Amino acid sequence: MLHNADLGWQLGPSLERIGREIDALFDEVLAGDDDVRGRLRDAMRHAAVGGGKRLRPLLVVGSGALFGVPRSLALRAGLAVEALHVHSLIHDDLPCMDDDDLRRGKPTVHRAYDEATAVLAGDALHALAFELLADRHTHPDAAVRAELVMELARAAGASGMAQGQMLDMLGGVDDLAQVTRLQRLKTGALIDWCTRAGAIMGYASPEARASLAGYALCLGLAFQIADDLLDVEGDAGSVGKRVGKDADKGKQNFVTVLGARHARAHAEMLVEQGIDHLKSFDEDAQLLCDIARYAIARDR
Ligand code: IPE
Ligand code: IPE
Ligand code: MG
Ligand code: MG
Ligand code: MG
């Protein structure tokens, strides 16, 4: 991948911190005793606690910081989108979808438990996301909470991630325009929600929201190109999931359509474009710029 020796140093402490914070919050929210919910809770914890880059929560924190949103509130919205993301990973790994057995360096939920438990743990994490957003501890303003909920529903649903996953399963995508459309929905919609969430919570101006939307569009695509490249060039030890699976399954993505070299160049161009959208925020957007560079320099 596109290693940059400085990146670990720049974003490393932020990633470590958000990782600790999200783990602690999941620990709190998914605490449970040995009652009948034990198995479902355990499966949710298996998927949600530990591992994962927590890039989506970091994006919420980074965009919220532009508008003075307190970190503790941004973290709760970040926890919500991470719960939704983990739901999508559990279901994405199921035998009826990508049929994967390794996720975040651990057996996938249907491997560690069983398929029914994996479907239900995914469902429960999906519901948890909306419960967290609707909770008054996430934001004192009910109108803000309603907008967060509405926008996440849109990002996750039939005009967003679920539709992207449908296109991915259907196949038949064979040019750059079609792959771009698919990946915008599959991965981009949730990433867009992350930057939108900070803006919603901080009552950002329409101009600021438009800048963030431009950034998020570029970032989402670049991020998915890196994911596709890691499937070809990464190793399971660092990536934490099996590699070579897209080719095995005959999936079309940026790498199959463009070739690895052009896909990487395309991702680099998207990152520069994304950063360009943040110019009006000056140095306040440093974290978001670092995230964009990390999105394609990562090895996991
Ligand atoms: C993987 O997302 C699935 C995609 C949408 C490409 P991440 O690469 O963010 O996975 P984690 O959260 O770090 O495990
Ligand atoms: C999954 O895309 C995207 C979602 C979960 C919505 P991939 O199938 O490429 O993700 P990985 O490679 O399994 O993490
Ligand atoms: Mg998939
Ligand atoms: Mg997959
Ligand atoms: Mg992938």
Side-chain angles (χ1 to χ4, degrees):
M1 292 299 292
L2 314 163
H3 280 294
N4 175 340
D6 289 342
L7 272 167
W9 178 80
Q10 277 173 23
L11 202 59
S14 304
L15 287 169
E16 272 169 39
R17 181 177 177 196
I18 194 94
R20 277 197 310 276
E21 289 168 324
I22 292 295
D23 271 348
L25 284 168
F26 270 134
D27 252 336
E28 196 182 305
V29 170
L30 299 175
D33 30 29
D34 277 14
D35 59 10
V36 294
R37 293 165 306 177
R39 184 177 174 84
L40 184 55
R41 286 292 162 98
D42 286 353
M44 292 165 77
R45 290 181 59 88
H46 174 89
V49 180
K53 295 175 288 294
R54 311 306 196 186
L55 222 55
R56 291 161 190 79
L58 193 59
L59 277 170
V60 180
V61 167
S63 67
L66 296 175
F67 312 108
V69 176
R71 188 177 178 98
S72 60
L73 300 193
L75 273 174
R76 287 185 58 89
L79 186 70
V81 72
E82 185 69 14
L84 200 118
H85 168 59
V86 176
H87 135 81
S88 80
L89 298 178
I90 297 173
H91 284 190
D92 180 73
D93 289 334
L94 283 169
C96 59
M97 294 195 73
D98 290 352
D99 193 13
D100 267 313
D101 58 5
L102 189 70
R103 172 66 65 183
R104 295 177 168 178
K106 293 184 281 193
T108 48
V109 180
H110 66 274
R111 287 286 186 158
Y113 294 82
D114 55 63
E115 275 184 52
T117 306
V119 169
L120 294 168
D123 288 348
L125 283 160
H126 189 277
L128 175 63
F130 293 98
E131 183 182 345
L132 286 165
L133 292 181
D135 188 313
R136 65 185 168 78
H137 293 104
T138 301
H139 201 281
D141 184 341
V144 164
R145 300 198 298 273
E147 196 177 349
L148 291 173
V149 166
M150 168 75 102
E151 292 297 333
L152 188 63
R154 284 188 174 139
S159 304
M161 185 179 73
Q163 177 63 16
Q165 289 284 70
M166 186 77 255
L167 295 173
D168 188 87
M169 298 313 294
L170 287 171
V173 162
D174 52 18
D175 64 27
L176 182 60
Q178 288 173 334
V179 171
T180 300
R181 176 165 164 263
L182 186 165
Q183 311 289 30
R184 267 185 85 166
L185 297 168
K186 178 175 108 165
T187 306
L190 220 55
I191 286 182
D192 176 72
W193 183 89
C194 295
T195 56
R196 200 178 278 263
I200 294 171
M201 296 176 95
Y203 304 97
S205 68
E207 294 75 23
R209 289 180 191 224
S211 299
L212 280 171
Y215 163 81
L217 173 56
C218 297
L219 174 65
L221 291 170
F223 183 83
Q224 183 61 47
I225 293 174
D227 186 78
D228 296 344
L229 280 166
L230 282 170
D231 190 72
V232 176
E233 300 174 346
D235 76 273
S238 47
V239 180
K241 50 191 186 186
R242 296 261 175 254
V243 294
K245 296 271 302 175
D246 294 341
D248 284 355
K249 298 208 131 221
K251 293 230 175 177
Q252 292 105 323
N253 58 37
F254 283 110
V255 176
T256 57
V257 166
L258 293 175
R261 197 163 57 85
H262 284 115
R264 191 178 297 104
H266 193 55
E268 284 168 358
M269 182 209 61
L270 284 163
V271 165
E272 290 316 311
Q273 274 181 10
I275 288 173
D276 231 43
H277 282 287
L278 300 176
K279 274 203 303 256
S280 58
F281 300 114
D282 289 329
E283 62 263 35
D284 290 349
Q286 191 58 51
L287 177 58
L288 295 182
C289 293
D290 289 347
I291 291 173
R293 295 195 183 95
Y294 171 77
I296 61 164
R298 63 201 171 96
D299 62 2
R300 60 187 283 249

